[in-house]
Amino acid sequence: MRAAVYNAPFDVSLGERPDPIIQQPGDAIVRVTATCVCGSDLWYYRGESKRKHGGPIGHEFVGVVEEVGADVTTVKVGDFVIAPFMWSDGTCPHCRYGITSSCVHGGFWATQGADGGQGEYVRVAEANGTLVVVPGGVPDARLIPSLLALSDVCGTGHHAAVGAGVVAGSTVAVVGDGAVGLCGVLAARRLGAERIISLSRNPARQVIATQFGATDIVSARGDDAVAEVLELTDGVGVDATLECVGTGQAFTTAFAIARPGSRVGFVGVPHGVEVPIQTAFGSNIGLGGGLAPVRAYLPELLTDVLSGAINPGLVFDYEFELADIGEAYKAMDERRAIKAIARL
Amino acid sequence: MRAAVYNAPFDVSLGERPDPIIQQPGDAIVRVTATCVCGSDLWYYRGESKRKHGGPIGHEFVGVVEEVGADVTTVKVGDFVIAPFMWSDGTCPHCRYGITSSCVHGGFWATQGADGGQGEYVRVAEANGTLVVVPGGVPDARLIPSLLALSDVCGTGHHAAVGAGVVAGSTVAVVGDGAVGLCGVLAARRLGAERIISLSRNPARQVIATQFGATDIVSARGDDAVAEVLELTDGVGVDATLECVGTGQAFTTAFAIARPGSRVGFVGVPHGVEVPIQTAFGSNIGLGGGLAPVRAYLPELLTDVLSGAINPGLVFDYEFELADIGEAYKAMDERRAIKAIARL
């Protein structure tokens, strides 16, 4: 099959990989009909995190079930399914606690011999726990971006909002205007936040943030951004802060705008991050979030996508052919694209 | 008046300080009838945190209102009152949000020219917001330890439990067997925890932990303690972890025994602490707590003390005369005393 390959930093291309086959009775084979590039893919693309050269990549996909193992009961051949960015069995203590990302039998696509999401087919381990069926067969093409967003960014943004403790009436700030940050705005709105301050300096992203429910845009950075958010909140700070970047600077900003007694919800893979523990202590600013248990949130978010209540697919502003995957990474790296989608 | 003075590390003695007078219309003068030494006093006692030599000390006291300023309406002369370990106005945005420890007009006893709690009298700023009246006049002497515990350790232990997200049915671990850790056990029990694992290697403290509701005692430390707690929880970890020490080692232990998706509630002044951010991220272990807003919790905890539902005063195992304050610090420092109380 054709599948994206990570050759080296700044070098991704379409290559050939073996067609997947059922290996375990719990496996399913999914024919991918849409996949995308994630902001977190940029960590290895830029050489900032290590990754084996020559291996598969990608962790977001939707598609049609082609074949199932003997133990698979929750999906059948022909079902249109969403795969969260990790597989999980749905039955272990962590899954039952809602933390599917810590599943004792779980794992990441494109690691441990698994296929990557950026390819034609994926063998899905633990299919019963992992895959979520979209009712009604193959959906309208216009719905695909929002369904694909449920694979990662929509659920991850939601997790930031949950981790930050957003409730009805909250004043919220979202640090980061990538696809996850924008989905964080959407999630905060969905949870009833009254005021949502998006920290974004990119006009195209500001537009989406506003479409998703941002009431205020702060385009400054660092100390200036902090001053502006504090001014917007009468010096108090916000009730809930979504940290959707994962860098030290974003953490510093997040803790500086969080009101005493509030929480920072973080979902960006942390790179060079130190929790300002004295601020956290003195001002009672908590930390929530982490690697999003997207699978756990999928059913409720899918319901809202299907009803039209939310449209997270708006984060996709760049469409590409799988053969041009290298160019899609480049566009994301150069921030010419918010999020790049390929339909197969 | 007679009041304790911090002369230098390992040197505390009873000295003379000016009698306090009403300075602001919101002030009250309290005649202290009981005070105590806190585990956090040991940071400066041991020279591990800086403190002005020759100044007052102590931040926990109960007593009788002797005089009030013109604006004081919530307490009157003759009332028996509990003072939380900070003063706060009760009306600023942070106080109204429940974070009295971030009061914009708040402060710490024995700083900024304020009297210390370890002395005969204290001028209480923001008396309306700060002091809590014990109904019925001067209480029975047997009740005094529990009322004094409400000044700090009982509310601080409660804050750890709240920060860790203890709910009915939780399996809880408490790291630290100082007075705050013991009160954390008490708080977890009060909030309905089903199983409470106390990490304590001191037999006397184990007894109190058990009296307060601990169902399991783990006397190992470090990796061995982690292994034991994981074994007690079928490898899952605990639903809520109370970190009641404030050292790096205690944090490491706390994050290692917390189950994915749970929170560590921390209330010990952090010294040399680094949040293990990759563990926090990968396992979704949140951080809650901080400098306890004891004033906010005082009414509900006082109700339970007066009804006899809780008896936090059991943490006092050492009684001293104010003249012997130096010896009381020494006993705490050498861990001969869990917590030392003086009645005046």
Side-chain angles (χ1 to χ4, degrees):
Chain A
M1 68 167 174
R2 300 181 310 150
V5 173
Y6 175 67
N7 304 306
F10 300 102
D11 183 2
V12 162
S13 62
L14 192 63
E16 277 293 324
R17 302 235 330 133
D19 283 343
I21 55 168
I22 299 286
Q23 295 178 15
Q24 300 287 335
D27 290 352
I29 305 295
V30 171
R31 176 171 54 83
V32 175
T33 63
T35 183
C36 52
V37 183
C38 186
S40 69
D41 289 326
L42 298 179
W43 290 114
Y44 61 77
Y45 182 74
R46 293 169 175 160
E48 287 168 357
S49 65
K50 286 195 177 166
R51 189 175 193 91
K52 204 184 115 190
H53 293 188
I57 43 179
H59 56 262
E60 298 154 291
F61 59 100
V62 296
V64 176
V65 176
E66 290 277 305
E67 196 184 345
V68 296
D71 289 353
V72 176
T73 56
T74 62
V75 301
K76 58 181 191 304
V77 173
D79 279 345
F80 189 87
V81 291
I82 303 169
F85 70 79
M86 292 181 71
W87 70 85
S88 53
D89 64 17
T91 57
C92 82
H94 303 313
C95 283
R96 281 183 279 124
Y97 203 65
I99 310 298
T100 51
S101 47
S102 288
C103 176
V104 296
H105 298 117
F108 292 92
W109 309 117
T111 70
Q112 310 168 52
D115 302 307
Q118 293 160 0
E120 289 180 310
Y121 293 90
V122 176
R123 180 181 69 86
V124 174
E126 305 291 347
N128 283 330
T130 305
L131 297 173
V132 175
V133 177
V134 179
V138 175
D140 188 291
R142 287 170 298 186
L143 210 54
I144 297 295
S146 284
L147 296 172
L148 182 58
L150 295 176
S151 199
D152 185 344
V153 289
C154 185
T156 297
H158 178 69
H159 191 51
V162 170
V166 175
V167 293
S170 293
T171 293
V172 174
V174 180
V175 180
D177 62 1
V180 169
L182 295 170
C183 286
V185 170
L186 182 73
R189 182 75 200 85
R190 182 175 170 276
L191 292 169
E194 197 174 291
R195 191 169 190 191
I196 303 171
I197 304 167
S198 167
L199 277 71
S200 168
R201 62 195 314 173
N202 177 311
R205 294 163 192 240
Q206 291 171 359
V207 169
I208 300 177
T210 304
Q211 286 175 299
F212 279 174
T215 54
D216 300 81
I217 303 282
V218 166
S219 55
R221 281 209 183 161
D223 291 347
D224 293 340
V226 171
E228 223 174 298
V229 173
L230 289 177
E231 198 182 320
L232 285 170
T233 54
D234 298 325
V236 169
V238 297
D239 304 335
T241 308
L242 282 59
E243 193 289 298
C244 301
V245 182
T247 61
Q249 200 204 341
F251 255 68
T252 303
T253 300
F255 275 82
I257 61 180
R259 75 179 294 170
S262 73
R263 283 213 303 275
V264 173
F266 82 120
V267 288
V269 186
H271 285 77
V273 163
E274 237 178 77
V275 175
I277 191 74
Q278 298 301 338
T279 303
F281 178 78
S283 295
N284 277 281
I285 298 169
L287 186 67
L291 183 65
V294 159
R295 175 61 183 83
Y297 300 132
L298 243 162
E300 60 170 309
L301 296 174
L302 174 58
T303 299
D304 279 12
V305 164
L306 293 176
S307 76
I310 58 172
N311 186 9
L314 285 177
V315 296
F316 292 105
D317 61 345
Y318 182 103
E319 196 142 343
F320 66 102
E321 299 291 326
L322 202 54
D324 303 323
I325 183 97
E327 182 54 36
Y329 270 80
K330 200 156 179 273
M332 294 267 299
D333 174 45
E334 292 168 0
R335 283 177 72 89
R336 284 185 281 118
I338 300 175
K339 197 164 175 68
I341 182 175
R343 297 176 195 248
L344 280 72
Chain B
M1 66 168 174
R2 299 181 311 150
V5 174
Y6 176 67
N7 304 306
F10 301 100
D11 183 3
V12 161
S13 62
L14 192 64
E16 278 292 325
R17 303 231 334 130
D19 283 342
I21 55 167
I22 298 286
Q23 296 179 13
Q24 301 288 335
D27 290 352
I29 306 295
V30 171
R31 176 171 55 80
V32 175
T33 63
T35 183
C36 52
V37 183
C38 186
S40 68
D41 289 327
L42 298 180
W43 290 114
Y44 60 77
Y45 182 75
R46 293 170 175 162
E48 288 168 356
S49 65
K50 285 195 177 168
R51 189 176 193 91
K52 204 184 114 190
H53 293 189
I57 43 179
H59 55 261
E60 298 154 289
F61 59 100
V62 297
V64 177
V65 176
E66 289 276 306
E67 195 183 346
V68 295
D71 290 351
V72 175
T73 56
T74 62
V75 301
K76 59 183 192 304
V77 172
D79 279 345
F80 188 87
V81 290
I82 302 169
F85 71 78
M86 292 180 71
W87 68 86
S88 53
D89 65 17
T91 57
C92 81
H94 303 312
C95 283
R96 281 183 280 123
Y97 202 65
I99 310 298
T100 50
S101 46
S102 288
C103 176
V104 297
H105 298 118
F108 291 92
W109 309 117
T111 70
Q112 310 167 52
D115 302 307
Q118 294 160 0
E120 289 180 310
Y121 294 90
V122 176
R123 179 181 70 85
V124 174
E126 306 289 350
N128 284 329
T130 305
L131 296 173
V132 175
V133 177
V134 178
V138 176
D140 186 291
R142 288 168 297 186
L143 209 55
I144 296 295
S146 284
L147 295 172
L148 181 58
L150 295 176
S151 198
D152 184 344
V153 289
C154 185
T156 297
H158 177 71
H159 191 52
V162 170
V166 175
V167 293
S170 293
T171 292
V172 175
V174 181
V175 181
D177 61 2
V180 169
L182 295 170
C183 286
V185 171
L186 183 73
R189 182 77 201 84
R190 181 176 170 275
L191 292 169
E194 198 174 289
R195 192 170 189 189
I196 304 171
I197 303 166
S198 167
L199 277 71
S200 168
R201 62 194 314 172
N202 177 311
R205 293 163 194 238
Q206 291 171 359
V207 169
I208 298 176
T210 304
Q211 286 176 300
F212 279 175
T215 54
D216 300 80
I217 302 282
V218 167
S219 55
R221 280 208 183 162
D223 292 345
D224 293 340
V226 171
E228 223 174 299
V229 173
L230 289 178
E231 199 183 320
L232 286 170
T233 55
D234 298 325
V236 169
V238 298
D239 305 335
T241 308
L242 283 60
E243 193 291 297
C244 301
V245 181
T247 61
Q249 200 205 342
F251 256 68
T252 302
T253 300
F255 275 82
I257 61 179
R259 75 179 294 169
S262 73
R263 283 213 304 274
V264 172
F266 81 119
V267 289
V269 186
H271 284 77
V273 164
E274 237 177 76
V275 176
I277 191 74
Q278 298 302 340
T279 303
F281 178 77
S283 295
N284 277 282
I285 299 169
L287 187 67
L291 184 65
V294 159
R295 175 60 182 84
Y297 299 133
L298 242 163
E300 59 169 309
L301 295 174
L302 174 58
T303 299
D304 279 13
V305 163
L306 294 177
S307 76
I310 58 173
N311 186 10
L314 285 178
V315 296
F316 292 105
D317 62 344
Y318 182 104
E319 196 141 344
F320 67 100
E321 299 291 324
L322 203 53
D324 303 322
I325 183 95
E327 182 53 37
Y329 270 79
K330 201 156 178 272
M332 294 267 298
D333 173 45
E334 294 168 359
R335 285 177 72 88
R336 284 185 282 117
I338 300 175
K339 196 163 174 69
I341 181 175
R343 298 176 194 249
L344 280 72

